[in-house]
Amino acid sequence: MAKALPGYGTINVPMDRVVPFGAVTPAPVGTQPLFHTSNWRVVRPVRDEEKCTRCLQCYMACPDACWVYKEEDDTMEWVGDFCKGCQVCIEQCTVDGALVAVPELDFEGGVVRLEKPF
Ligand code: SF4
Ligand code: SF4
């Protein structure tokens, strides 16, 4: 029986829905358009190619694996479908100004909000 924190109840999670700490849950790409967390985004991380040293802190810090590094040509790519604009990557960036938050609506074709919330 799980212990509840004082003042809190417990949630009975069925065993087949339990996710262990540290588990990776791959996003169901292409099967659930509503799962695209980019719909939450209000700012977009933008990398300065000149300033970026490829330290890969952003790559390691992103909780949604939105940064892709290709060693063969030393290039980095941002894949925005699952970027929710949390800015963790920007916080972790080791070079001042190499990764900055730009308002989503500054981009032509910026994220379009869903008509219906989740
Ligand atoms: S803003 Fe958050 S979700 Fe988006 S790339 Fe950075 S760390 Fe990942
Ligand atoms: S953390 Fe900053 S400097 Fe390092 S790879 Fe990412 S954008 Fe470049």
Side-chain angles (χ1 to χ4, degrees):
M1 182 76 173
K3 275 189 185 171
L5 290 172
Y8 293 86
T10 54
I11 301 171
N12 291 319
V13 179
M15 282 314 288
D16 62 343
R17 304 289 301 276
V18 167
V19 178
F21 286 113
V24 173
T25 54
V29 178
T31 56
Q32 287 195 40
L34 289 179
F35 201 73
H36 279 196
T37 49
S38 57
N39 281 289
W40 307 345
R41 197 169 62 227
V42 290
V43 292
R44 186 183 295 200
V46 174
R47 195 175 56 87
D48 184 317
E49 183 67 31
E50 299 294 315
K51 291 182 180 171
C52 174
T53 59
R54 312 295 195 274
C55 72
L56 301 184
Q57 286 296 316
C58 55
Y59 167 89
M60 289 186 278
C62 177
D64 293 294
C66 296
W67 291 102
V68 177
Y69 175 66
K70 289 189 190 146
E71 197 172 8
E72 57 273 21
D73 54 4
D74 192 35
T75 57
M76 288 191 68
E77 190 189 339
W78 173 74
V79 182
D81 273 357
F82 299 96
C83 170
K84 50 195 179 295
C86 68
Q87 303 182 57
V88 168
C89 55
I90 296 171
E91 284 293 318
Q92 293 300 314
C93 181
T94 54
V95 180
D96 199 27
L99 198 53
V100 296
V102 178
E104 186 63 25
L105 294 178
D106 284 4
F107 296 91
E108 197 174 332
V111 164
V112 178
R113 306 283 162 220
L114 294 171
E115 284 179 18
K116 205 174 80 171
F118 289 86

